[in-house]
Amino acid sequence: MHLNLGVDNLHCAGCVRRLEKALGDTAASEISVDLAGKRVDLEWPSGQALSDLVEHLKRSGFPVHMDEVSLAIYGMHCASCVGRVEKALLALPGVLSASVNLAASEGRVEFVEGAVSGSELRAAVERAGYTADLPDGDREAARDERRTAEMHSLKRRFLLALTLTIPVFLLEMGGHFIPPLHHWIHATFGTFQLHLLLFVLTTIVLFGPGLMFFRIGLPNLVRGHPDMNSLVALGTGAAWAYSVVATFAPGVMPEGTAQVYYEPAAVIVTLILLGRLLEARAKSRTGAAIERLLGLQAKTARVERDGQTIEIALDEVRRGDRVRVRPGETVPVDGEVIDGESRVDESMLTGEPEPVRRNPGDKVVGGTVNQNGLLVIRATDLGSDAVLARIVRMVQKAQGAKLPIQALVDRVTAWFVPAVMSIAAATAVVWLIFGPQPALSFALVNAVAVLIIACPCAMGLATPTSIMVGTGRGAENGVLFRGGDALQQLRSVRVVALDKTGTLTEGRPEVTDIVVLGELDERRLLALAAAVEQDSEHPLAHAIVSAARQEKIEISAAEDFRSESGHGVSACVEGHRVHIGTRGWLGQADVDTETAADAVEALSTKARTPVLVAVDGRLAGVFGIADPVKVSTPEAIDALHAQGLKVAMISGDRQATAEAIAKELGIDTVIAEVLPDGKVEAVQRLREKHGRIAFVGDGINDAPALAEADVGIAIGTGTDVAIESADVVLMAGDLSKVPQAIALSRATLRNIRQNLFWAFAYNTALIPVAAGVLYPAFGLLLSPMLAAAAMAASSLFVVGNALRLKRVPLARAG
């Protein structure tokens, strides 16, 4: 296999040598590195997994440029279809992974950048017997149109089949239930004419509305990849062919076996069409969350251009445009308020019903609703960069993901349909050899029942429908799962670790106490401290500067500013060297801090963070700084405890301060005095003690801990770096969404287990019944018509059960 890979970190001749050495340790051959283009040309053995090469290069420091595309795939009806499409996509050179979602009719393909084109992906799907659409701007609308057209087509097929099947059913079954009717029918029509009428009606049903089963199922059977359509085509086709011979050439059949089975063939097709129609309607509801999100987008925007306000299409808005939003209108684009004040309904984003006040300088998000004031905003993020577009992509990716549990289903469905066909053949042989007379009729009826009752559809829908509804329900409540793994992992966490600042607290610390320990008064101490801290990004620094401004203190310029992360800062202000930080750090700077011991202890026990100030090497005072706890925090911690979870807090505060906050909130474990680079170690310690861990954070320095945790949960009001490192994103800024996310994870996984149990138990129990295993002991046989009804009901049960997730209460444990 010839590959041309783009790689990162290729900067010099030394990098080229290291890359060549790394590739030399693999099965790659004919290696040629292009330093200027940052690419490498090589040959890779076709029988060896390409992912091995990609992982090896990533570990060696040369990550390969990857690409991902989402395909809309049509014509899939069961789990066997999913396996066939994935196999076809994975066979393309350069494709690393392919995940196909039956419920969403979608496939996500990850491949080496430039290795395959969209047309090649589409061709691979078409070779497997299906059709695919490449992504474009209007694909969601096109997919909706296609689904609607498919439902209308199914409805027409079903109604036509029903109209033709009713007389077939009445003529056959009516005679069984009402003997006089049976005699009247045969006396009026005659046996041959009756069979001829049934032949005409049933033939139209099978090769009119039911033609789709033969058109899809028989080619797949010839290719050696039988699917659900193949089973229906074989079962109904066998019953119809047997009846045709019994009608037109009864003499060639053994005596007593020339019976017709038009009615089961027609009823089976009609019931399966009904099942497909109801299933399509139910599946369309599983993606309702995405449709609602897309429906939030405004179609136009009112923009100020050349001194006038004009209304233009949304895709014509440019970054930097001044956009006017009237009361009651949807905010068309992401932007920053530059004029006006109003309350904005952000429930679509955060799940919180209370509108939020927005003033000049605040950010607003496209898709939210302006309530009661005129806003003028400057457009910032447009198109695919907009928050709503990113949310939709995140939800779509999560809905298309495969949980680890799906691997078992894939292995079973790979051989399921061939196994059912083998069981049906064995059933026919056993009935022919050991069955009572007419053995041929018994063999046909029971073999058809086996083919019809088997339901790989239920197994294929069990996982993806639950994921789609669960992740969609999360999105509606401001909980975004970035992948299927997070949905499964979150269910099994044993401890939730919370970063303190910005997560448990508001992230807006305030100076509550000023303890003077030297010759300077409070205003002078605050003025010097604010001058140093004005250049710092630390939240505690902002608190000191804010306190000085509230006191109307003029803040001087600072020189020779120095910072030591997690410890403190120092600078020269008006000729004085000022140190601000922890007691230990000031001690390292040869400042005597003994006189601060009582003040530090007193502040710590009141849950204040003590910040010491030294001027010219002498201790001058201590600031007590408190960060208000979020209103939602105590209730969220109670909810986590109610879910049987341990709650831990990771903080950079002194042990006494952190324990005071933990005691107030009922937190089980405290890890204090943690430097920014020590959070990963804290997460590892908690995992060793408690088991699986979820870490909740919002800052840049939380990103490594979010990545280290089994499940990283980012507060959506936090930094982009934190959000990119997380597995779950909470769009609201409060902790109440954490127990909601866990409850949703538990409910979704429980729903998946219910679906899988039903799908496997249904097939395991009813296939033997259809084969006639109860006949020797109880004389019971399963009619093929009842088999068709059971098969249709099985898929509907799975989809209906998944839709129950829309009503699961998230305020309590799942």
Side-chain angles (χ1 to χ4, degrees), residues 489-512:
Q489 296 272 17
L490 193 56
R491 176 187 67 91
S492 57
V493 298
R494 293 291 173 265
V495 58
V496 177
L498 307 166
D499 176 57
K500 193 202 81 172
T501 305
T503 303
L504 281 170
T505 63
E506 295 286 356
R508 294 192 298 271
E510 301 168 354
V511 175
T512 56

Side-chain angles (χ1 to χ4, degrees), residues 3 54-55 73 134 140 220 307 341 364 371 393 414 484 501 512 549 553 559 606 608 633 716 755 784 786:
L3 293 173
V54 173
E55 281 299 315
I73 301 171
L134 293 169
E140 285 296 332
N220 285 337
E341 296 181 356
V364 291
Q371 295 273 293
R393 284 200 303 274
T501 305
T512 56
R549 286 176 177 157
I553 294 174
E559 299 174 345
K606 291 196 297 181
R608 308 286 193 264
T633 295
N755 282 347
L786 290 177

Side-chain angles (χ1 to χ4, degrees), residues 321-323 325 331 333 335-338 364 375-379:
D321 274 345
R322 290 169 59 96
V323 180
V325 188
V331 178
V333 294
E336 180 182 334
V337 178
I338 54 177
V364 291
L375 291 176
V376 180
I377 64 174
R378 182 185 294 110

Side-chain angles (χ1 to χ4, degrees), residues 1-337:
M1 184 195 319
H2 179 78
L3 293 173
N4 185 267
L5 310 177
V7 294
D8 285 334
N9 302 331
L10 199 57
H11 306 298
C12 62
C15 300
V16 171
R17 285 194 298 273
R18 287 194 299 109
L19 176 56
E20 289 174 338
K21 184 176 184 302
L23 287 169
D25 296 333
T26 70
S29 60
E30 299 182 32
I31 300 163
S32 175
V33 180
D34 175 10
L35 176 60
K38 299 185 184 299
R39 304 193 71 84
V40 56
D41 209 67
L42 55 85
E43 293 291 330
W44 183 254
S46 300
Q48 190 160 343
L50 182 59
S51 57
D52 294 344
L53 173 64
V54 173
E55 281 299 315
H56 180 74
L57 289 177
K58 184 179 179 180
R59 287 195 303 270
S60 302
F62 298 99
V64 175
H65 295 173
M66 304 299 297
D67 205 349
E68 186 178 76
V69 70
S70 174
L71 299 168
I73 301 171
Y74 304 103
M76 299 186 299
H77 297 101
C78 66
S80 300
C81 305
V82 171
R84 192 168 308 117
V85 174
E86 288 180 345
K87 187 176 180 181
L89 291 169
L90 288 169
L92 292 174
V95 172
L96 261 74
S97 67
S99 177
V100 175
N101 187 318
L102 176 63
S105 299
E106 182 179 83
R108 288 188 175 272
V109 186
E110 186 183 26
F111 54 92
V112 173
E113 185 183 71
V116 289
S117 65
S119 58
E120 288 174 315
L121 293 171
R122 184 168 57 188
V125 173
E126 290 172 352
R127 283 195 299 273
Y130 307 90
T131 56
D133 281 346
L134 293 169
D136 57 55
D138 297 321
R139 197 183 76 178
E140 285 296 332
R143 182 186 298 182
D144 289 343
E145 288 177 9
R146 188 150 185 169
R147 281 178 174 168
T148 302
E150 182 185 355
M151 276 196 282
H152 286 159
S153 174
L154 282 169
K155 185 176 181 180
R156 287 194 301 271
R157 289 172 181 272
F158 166 68
L159 290 176
L160 176 57
L162 180 65
T163 302
L164 297 171
T165 299
I166 286 174
V168 174
F169 183 80
L170 291 176
L171 288 170
E172 278 288 280
M173 292 302 292
H176 290 297
F177 287 116
I178 309 173
L181 178 62
H182 172 78
H183 296 305
W184 179 83
I185 290 171
H186 280 268
T188 304
F189 293 100
T191 300
F192 178 74
Q193 286 78 7
L194 176 62
H195 289 176
L196 188 61
L197 177 60
L198 295 176
F199 162 75
V200 171
L201 293 174
T202 303
T203 300
I204 297 173
V205 171
L206 261 64
F207 302 105
L211 183 62
M212 57 185 288
F213 301 117
F214 295 88
R215 194 180 63 246
I216 299 170
L218 294 182
N220 285 337
L221 186 62
V222 171
R223 293 189 191 103
H225 302 298
D227 64 355
M228 185 66 221
N229 297 292
S230 306
L231 297 179
V232 175
L234 280 176
T236 57
W240 176 83
Y242 185 98
S243 302
V244 168
V245 174
T247 300
F248 297 103
V252 303
M253 304 182 73
E255 186 178 348
T257 62
Q259 301 172 17
V260 295
Y261 295 96
Y262 292 119
E263 172 211 8
V267 171
I268 286 168
V269 167
T270 303
L271 285 174
I272 293 176
L273 285 172
L274 173 61
R276 289 269 174 96
L277 175 61
L278 296 175
E279 183 184 317
R281 286 180 174 174
K283 280 163 63 177
S284 68
R285 291 169 57 199
T286 63
I290 290 286
E291 292 172 14
R292 274 196 289 272
L293 287 171
L294 292 171
L296 294 169
Q297 293 176 322
K299 301 295 185 288
T300 60
R302 298 173 66 250
V303 178
E304 295 179 3
R305 294 265 176 93
D306 301 323
Q308 294 183 331
T309 300
I310 59 173
E311 189 165 335
I312 62 175
L314 197 62
D315 57 7
E316 294 178 22
V317 179
R318 299 191 294 263
R319 186 173 277 104
D321 274 345
R322 290 169 59 96
V323 180
R324 299 176 71 86
V325 188
R326 292 175 294 199
E329 287 185 337
T330 297
V331 178
V333 294
D334 292 6
E336 180 182 334
V337 178

Side-chain angles (χ1 to χ4, degrees), residues 629-651:
V629 172
K630 291 178 180 177
V631 175
S632 61
T633 295
E635 185 179 348
I637 291 172
D638 289 344
L640 290 171
H641 282 143
Q643 291 175 324
L645 299 170
K646 295 290 185 183
V647 181
M649 181 179 76
I650 298 176
S651 172

